[in-house]
Amino acid sequence: MVSSSAATRAENILVRPFSLGSLTLRNRIAMAPMTREFSPGGVPGADVAEYYARRAAGGVGLIITEGTYVDHDSAGTSDRVPRFYGEDALQGWTEVADAVHRAGGKIVPQLWHVGMNRAAGAPPVPDAPRVGPSGIPLTGSEQGRTMTLSDIDDVIGAFAAGAAAAEAHGFDGVELHGAHGYLIDQFLWAHTNRRTDAYGGDLASRVRFAADIVSACRRAVSPEFPIIFRTSQWKIGGYDAKIAESPQELEAVLTLLADAGADAFHCSTRRYWLPEFERSDLNYAGWAKKLSGKPAISVGSVGLDGEFIKAFRGEGSGVAAIDGLLDRLEREEFDLVAVGRALLGDPDWAAKILTGRTGELKHFESAALGTLY
């Protein structure tokens, strides 16, 4: 158990409402999206609803779902990852949203297209090609198909349809997955985007695909329905990759996305406490908020740094271990913090942190993922 003053500080900083368009959150804690492949045929069932509702009941203010495939044949690479189209899948997602709301939380789906990360011949549409801005893989030499302008229009339409479905089926907003080297990010990154048309070349042209998706989603939903854009510098298998080498380049990217209709940026880093650029302590989310003027969500090993491992073992204070995180939130470097693996291992993580019950925290075990609910 931690001191009452430490627990009170965590509560005072984290338990503050936050509003984003029509969405009002009860606190500053979000659940980060994490793929689990627990949806056979792409349809989330009662177990998925229970899984998310447990985290909402455990104190999480905003649930961001695992990535869900948009309605495009090449979007996915597994038939156990949920999709966000089709009557059966959308009915399942309606029940998920209802369960989270009954538990006191808010929920947004993350819309996803894997692009060149698709495995050739993989379900849910085995015959679908691997596609990307230039058919260039992130790693390896296996080429895919360069997207035509018609392909681009189809994908933009699929994201817009997903956003409209989110609003129609009771969700509180939508997140667009523009990070980690998946399709949207492949357009943003010069390494995978070698196009010479309006969707490639200079930085502004590489951002156009993402901005067109944001704009189409904005038109497809109500003005106050929040659109969150998830962004990262790093890619799967490319941890040193960068879209923006400087704050000026990052500002150019974020400004175009904000102008297109993005309401907030969910900034993925591997470790939230590391600075993004030299000569500043600001992390990626801090820079995004400063440069865009939009709310920002920070994520990256919250609950998994060395101090937290000690806390899990009873060797230290879990609340004290997030003093640095609380400092950043208190000075409004960013607005929300997303928690990933720590919430996988302990659905009551938020409630325990907020009430000083850190001695009860459960250590995350990756080997136990198959039994989590």
Side-chain angles (χ1 to χ4, degrees), residues 9-338:
R9 179 174 187 249
E11 181 179 9
N12 288 343
I13 293 171
L14 292 171
V15 183
R16 292 178 295 159
F18 185 77
S19 294
L20 182 65
S22 59
L23 172 63
T24 299
L25 303 174
R26 60 184 171 179
N27 61 40
R28 301 303 179 99
I29 301 174
M31 180 176 183
M34 292 167 287
T35 299
R36 297 171 65 241
E37 298 193 85
F38 272 38
S39 298
V43 179
D47 59 325
V48 176
E50 182 181 3
Y51 164 76
Y52 286 117
R54 282 199 69 193
R55 275 74 190 169
V60 174
L62 175 65
I63 302 289
I64 305 172
T65 75
E66 61 208 283
T68 69
Y69 296 148
V70 296
D71 188 7
H72 185 259
D73 285 353
S74 298
T77 193
S78 169
D79 61 357
R80 293 185 60 84
V81 167
R83 47 186 162 85
F84 211 79
Y85 62 90
E87 184 177 349
D88 52 352
L90 291 176
Q91 178 56 42
W93 281 118
T94 299
E95 293 169 7
V96 171
D98 289 345
V100 168
H101 291 153
R102 287 194 298 269
K106 303 292 186 180
I107 182 169
V108 303
Q110 185 189 75
L111 304 183
W112 187 24
H113 191 303
V114 302
M116 287 296 297
N117 279 16
R118 170 175 162 73
V125 185
D127 294 336
R130 301 168 72 242
V131 300
S134 302
I136 298 172
L138 274 72
T139 59
S141 59
E142 186 179 356
Q143 299 293 302
R145 180 165 68 75
T146 298
M147 293 174 67
T148 66
L149 293 179
S150 178
D151 293 329
I152 288 174
D153 288 342
D154 289 344
V155 171
I156 291 171
F159 273 93
E167 185 171 28
H169 289 268
F171 283 79
D172 302 295
V174 66
E175 177 167 286
L176 310 177
H177 197 342
H180 304 163
Y182 295 112
L183 182 63
I184 295 176
D185 198 22
Q186 289 163 25
F187 273 83
L188 294 170
W189 193 28
H191 174 74
T192 46
N193 186 346
R194 311 289 178 83
R195 300 178 74 94
T196 57
D197 62 5
Y199 287 97
D202 62 15
L203 184 60
S205 297
R206 296 199 308 273
V207 177
R208 181 179 175 184
F209 179 66
D212 282 357
I213 288 175
V214 173
S215 180
C217 291
R218 182 77 279 158
R219 293 191 301 270
V221 298
S222 301
E224 292 298 305
F225 191 72
I227 296 174
I228 302 168
F229 189 93
R230 195 176 207 208
T231 175
S232 72
Q233 296 265 46
W234 67 275
K235 325 297 175 194
I236 295 173
Y239 297 120
D240 295 326
K242 287 185 179 294
I243 297 168
E245 296 287 347
S246 66
Q248 292 75 23
E249 290 186 350
L250 183 59
E251 183 176 19
V253 172
L254 299 179
T255 297
L256 289 168
L257 296 174
D259 288 348
D263 297 298
F265 293 104
H266 183 181
C267 301
S268 177
T269 56
R270 297 178 68 205
R271 301 174 180 89
Y272 77 85
W273 55 88
L274 296 180
E276 186 58 37
F277 299 110
E278 294 180 356
R279 295 186 293 276
S280 172
D281 291 333
L282 289 177
N283 72 2
Y284 191 38
W287 276 109
K289 180 176 181 178
K290 176 180 179 178
L291 296 172
S292 71
K294 297 291 185 180
I297 304 169
S298 187
V299 66
S301 297
V302 176
L304 296 177
D305 61 71
E307 293 303 314
F308 258 99
I309 294 299
K310 292 180 181 178
F312 288 146
R313 294 171 179 165
E315 300 174 12
S317 163
V319 170
I322 60 169
D323 275 349
L325 176 68
L326 297 177
D327 290 343
R328 292 171 185 261
L329 281 166
E330 192 170 36
R331 62 177 178 255
E332 299 186 349
E333 179 176 330
F334 43 77
D335 301 284
L336 303 171
V337 58

